[in-house]
Amino acid sequence: WLSQADHYNAAVDLLDGNLDLGRGDKTAVRTPEGEWTYGEVAAAANRVGNALSELGVEPENRVLIALPDGVQFATTFFGAVKTGAVPVPVPPSLAPDAYAFLLTDSRAKVAVVDASTALAVRTAVRDLGATRPCRLVVVGETEPVPGESDFAEITAAADDRLEPADTVAEDMAFWLYSSGTTGRPKAVVHLQSHMRFCADAYARPVLGLDESDVTFSVSKLSFAYGLGGGLYLPFAVGATSVLLDAPAQPRMVAEVVRRFRPSVLFGVPTGYANTLAAGSSSSGPADFRGIRVCVSAGESLAGSLLHRWKEATGLDILDGIGATETCHIVISNRLDDIRPDCLGTVVDGYEARVVDEHGEVVPPGTTGTLLVRGGSLAPFYWRQFGLSRQTMTGEWLRTGDVVVEDDSGHFSFLGREDDMLKVGGMWVSPVEIESVLSQDERVAECAVVGVPDRDKLIKPEAFVVLDGVAPSDALSVTLRQQVRQRLGGNKTPRTFHFVSELPRTDAGKVQRSRLREQALL
Ligand code: 3SK
């Protein structure tokens, strides 16, 4: 691993490094619009870096990126990193007040935005006025606006050679905003060395990722899981990344598999469930045999979904867990050791501990909170030092995930700390109940939350999306019986709410706080 003072620039390593290894003509990015080689992406990133410098961007200045997944995202991200500036990817579909918050909090000097997002960001910049000046660079066709720059114009005029900033391994490289499932977003700071660390600890040894692979990530590049799967992990090994600017929709995975033949799929449980529910694509059945690895993270993967996926496609799913603060996956199943309803074991390069409410390490078999240490952990949240002290506790990061480790070092996920329910004095895991409900083939997806009854005692209630059948009292009775038989009375949901979909964050996680509110209506 790199040491702190090593001269190191992640763009030089992860992008330009491919040219030194003779991959200049190899395809780096493939989209429905075309293909770009590593040589072309590196030259375009240099142009972006030079254009940003022309606009006055200096090392450590933040550059907001509100772009859909595509080659301009890749060149802007690495162009900024190469100059020592700090890219801050955010979703390209937010409202003006969300952009106003992100611009104020990050103090981004420049925002590179898609034409379809420009109006929302422009409104935010106008509302902030002189308090927070930010230069807009617009990608795509728009009417020119005074004081803004056109991406194509400024990058065409820029030099395609760029001297990298003299950064070290511990310089800031990029930020990602994380809102979790509640609360105000906080900027998670990552360092120059972190992307290489994730590639060398996880992608190569666990996935066997190499230059012959073609990756596709359902999670978008503005999220930690997607930024790894869709950009820096494939670039770190000289693989090809398929990037799609469209929002996720049920048939997307099957269409991508049919058209681009990825060998590694970075999916999320909802994406796997939607792909199964949507059946084969209008353009014929997708042939999943070209896929070597299906990865899952982002939320818990029910064992029943793993089995249904295997039955339909012949493929396993490699479940794992990470966090925006860990950069990428730190605990994972292995290709030769896949267990249902299990996160797998700690990835080499990281260590994990399970602790009780006093911070004491608990023995295997005991439920507790997961702490992690290793070489890609965020050092702090920007401008949130109280929260940083609670989360980044010395070398150990408190993830907020509740897990149990068995005698052989395999971890199971039980829920987030805030989502665990105390029923009748006992801690109950919503994930355990959801896993039982998901085994009924009429259940497409579900989420369990704790809701106070009239005596203010917490009781589990289930929100269920059905797969092709109508809701009925008889179905509630059957589902209730299934849980009671498997888990006992205190874990059995008192009420079943049949809904058409579950509320989710932009990152795709179920918003349990909204379900709790809904249950109280
Ligand atoms: O949610 C996860 O498990 C995850 C995995 C990798 C990177 C980021 C996240 C949040």
Side-chain angles (χ1 to χ4, degrees):
W1 316 120
L2 289 156
S3 67
Q4 60 184 77
D6 283 342
H7 286 268
Y8 177 81
N9 183 291
V12 172
D13 175 19
L14 302 169
L15 179 52
D16 299 349
N18 286 296
L19 312 191
D20 302 336
L21 291 168
R23 300 187 187 123
D25 292 329
K26 184 164 189 290
T27 303
V29 172
R30 191 171 285 159
T31 76
E33 287 75 45
E35 298 194 346
W36 289 265
T37 64
Y38 274 105
E40 288 167 335
V41 175
N46 287 345
R47 285 205 181 90
V48 179
N50 283 317
L52 290 173
S53 301
E54 281 291 309
L55 293 176
V57 173
E58 293 177 353
E60 287 164 25
N61 285 168
R62 270 75 65 192
V63 175
L64 200 84
I65 303 181
L67 294 175
D69 290 12
V71 72
Q72 287 93 353
F73 185 112
T75 58
T76 306
F77 183 86
F78 281 119
V81 170
K82 194 161 174 181
T83 65
V86 178
V88 184
V90 298
S93 52
L94 302 178
D97 61 336
Y99 288 121
F101 168 77
L102 294 166
L103 291 171
T104 308
D105 190 64
S106 67
R107 302 202 183 102
K109 197 160 187 179
V110 167
V112 182
V113 306
D114 188 62
S116 62
T117 313
L119 184 58
V121 183
R122 195 174 289 141
T123 307
V125 172
R126 194 185 310 126
D127 290 350
L128 291 170
T131 56
R132 185 82 304 283
C134 175
R135 175 89 180 196
L136 251 64
V137 175
V138 182
V139 177
E141 303 272 300
T142 45
E143 288 294 311
V145 171
E148 294 184 7
S149 306
D150 177 72
F151 182 86
E153 215 172 279
I154 61 171
T155 53
D159 195 337
D160 67 1
R161 288 156 307 162
L162 170 63
E163 194 54 39
D166 184 17
T167 47
V168 295
E170 288 201 350
D171 266 314
M172 281 200 297
F174 65 100
W175 296 1
L176 287 167
Y177 274 88
S178 162
S179 36
T181 46
T182 51
R184 220 172 67 142
K186 51 210 186 278
V188 179
V189 171
H190 278 292
L191 309 182
Q192 292 282 344
S193 59
H194 287 181
M195 295 182 275
R196 168 54 69 190
F197 190 93
C198 294
D200 289 353
Y202 169 70
R204 274 189 196 279
V206 177
L207 305 180
L209 198 71
D210 70 21
E211 65 178 327
S212 65
D213 279 309
V214 176
T215 62
F216 175 66
S217 171
V218 170
S219 169
K220 296 288 172 188
L221 295 175
S222 49
F223 302 106
Y225 178 45
L227 186 69
L231 190 62
Y232 65 81
L233 297 180
F235 275 35
V237 300
T240 299
S241 175
V242 175
L243 296 177
L244 227 62
D245 66 2
Q249 41 93 359
R251 293 193 192 281
M252 182 179 71
V253 170
E255 293 292 351
V256 167
V257 168
R258 208 180 44 76
R259 181 161 174 197
F260 296 101
R261 308 212 148 275
S263 56
V264 179
L265 183 61
F266 290 92
V268 294
T270 317
Y272 290 114
N274 286 344
T275 305
L276 291 176
S280 53
S281 121
S282 50
S283 341
D287 181 354
F288 286 90
R289 281 174 304 182
I291 299 187
R292 203 171 57 68
V293 192
C294 296
V295 181
S296 180
E299 52 183 346
S300 83
L301 174 76
S304 53
L305 180 54
L306 186 113
H307 289 130
R308 287 196 291 133
W309 183 257
K310 175 116 189 178
E311 242 170 59
T313 65
L315 297 167
D316 282 310
I317 302 179
L318 203 65
D319 195 15
I321 192 167
T324 307
E325 292 81 349
T326 63
C327 206
H328 216 266
I329 288 175
V330 294
I331 295 182
S332 176
N333 280 270
R334 299 298 192 277
L335 295 173
D336 59 359
D337 181 18
I338 291 179
R339 305 185 182 195
D341 293 307
C342 174
L343 294 169
T345 55
V346 182
V347 168
D348 273 353
Y350 301 94
E351 286 170 70
R353 270 181 181 170
V354 184
V355 298
D356 64 16
E357 63 273 32
H358 309 294
E360 298 296 328
V361 175
V362 298
T366 311
T367 299
T369 299
L370 176 68
L371 309 191
V372 178
R373 76 171 167 192
S376 64
L377 306 192
F380 59 91
Y381 300 118
W382 173 246
R383 297 212 301 180
Q384 298 237 19
F385 297 114
L387 191 60
S388 302
R389 270 197 291 273
Q390 289 163 23
T391 311
M392 291 87 178
T393 56
E395 291 189 326
W396 293 91
L397 176 99
R398 194 183 167 89
T399 63
D401 293 317
V402 179
V403 299
V404 61
E405 183 186 2
D406 71 11
D407 287 330
S408 61
H410 290 77
F411 289 79
S412 297
F413 178 70
L414 300 174
R416 296 279 305 160
E417 266 173 343
D418 301 344
D419 297 331
M420 296 293 284
L421 341 174
K422 199 156 204 181
V423 185
M426 307 252 301
W427 283 112
V428 171
S429 151
V431 173
E432 195 186 8
I433 306 171
E434 289 157 14
S435 178
V436 172
L437 291 172
S438 308
Q439 285 168 25
D440 189 304
E441 59 190 15
R442 294 166 293 185
V443 173
E445 47 178 358
C446 61
V448 171
V449 293
V451 182
D453 66 8
R454 60 184 179 162
D455 299 318
K456 300 216 165 22
L457 299 171
I458 298 293
K459 299 287 184 276
E461 297 197 6
F463 286 77
V464 176
V465 180
L466 291 171
D467 187 4
V469 293
S472 67
D473 288 344
L475 185 52
S476 303
V477 171
T478 317
L479 293 174
R480 193 172 289 121
Q481 270 168 359
Q482 286 168 3
V483 181
R484 177 165 293 125
Q485 274 163 12
R486 293 278 302 280
L487 302 178
N490 71 330
K491 297 185 180 176
T492 303
R494 303 303 184 269
T495 308
F496 283 83
H497 305 267
F498 294 108
V499 291
S500 56
E501 59 180 356
L502 299 174
R504 290 183 183 277
T505 64
D506 285 331
K509 295 191 196 260
V510 174
Q511 284 176 304
R512 288 169 200 272
S513 56
R514 284 189 51 198
L515 293 177
R516 280 190 284 268
E517 283 162 20
Q518 235 170 289
L520 287 170
L521 288 179

